[in-house]
Amino acid sequence: MKIEQLEKEFSLETKIQVIRRLDTGERQSQIGAALNLATSTIGTILKNKEKIPSSATATMTGSATRINRSRLNKIEEIEK
């Protein structure tokens, strides 16, 4: 029997907080313990560090959790 793990979504506010703490030199394990996040999650946020602030400025609310990209142009190209 396979056990499925649920993916957790974190708010942009949490992700930005993680990035700021990483920039101040705090270790990933310390941030994870303080925010109750796995170190792999902190690593993923660090890997996507360039994308997160730009999406935060694009959204007006801090409650957004996903970064959606428009694929309308690609769909239109495929339909031609």
Side-chain angles (χ1 to χ4, degrees):
M1 185 163 97
K2 184 177 177 182
I3 298 174
E4 293 184 28
Q5 293 181 341
L6 297 176
E7 290 185 22
K8 295 180 183 178
E9 293 181 6
F10 302 101
S11 69
L12 287 174
E13 181 180 319
T14 301
K15 294 175 185 178
I16 291 171
Q17 182 181 8
V18 167
I19 291 170
R20 286 184 183 147
R21 291 176 83 159
L22 286 167
D23 288 342
T24 62
E26 194 169 348
R27 297 179 62 157
Q28 291 184 19
S29 59
Q30 294 170 329
I31 297 169
L35 299 176
N36 197 24
L37 299 173
T39 53
S40 61
T41 301
I42 305 296
T44 301
I45 292 171
L46 178 61
K47 182 177 79 172
N48 295 321
K49 180 180 178 179
E50 300 300 320
K51 298 176 188 177
I52 293 171
S54 62
S55 66
T57 57
T59 60
M60 298 306 285
T61 63
S63 62
T65 55
R66 287 192 177 179
I67 302 170
N68 291 330
R69 291 171 183 78
S70 175
R71 295 179 2 168
L72 184 58
N73 293 338
K74 290 182 181 181
I75 293 173
E76 288 177 359
E77 289 177 15
I78 292 171
E79 291 178 349
K80 288 182 182 180

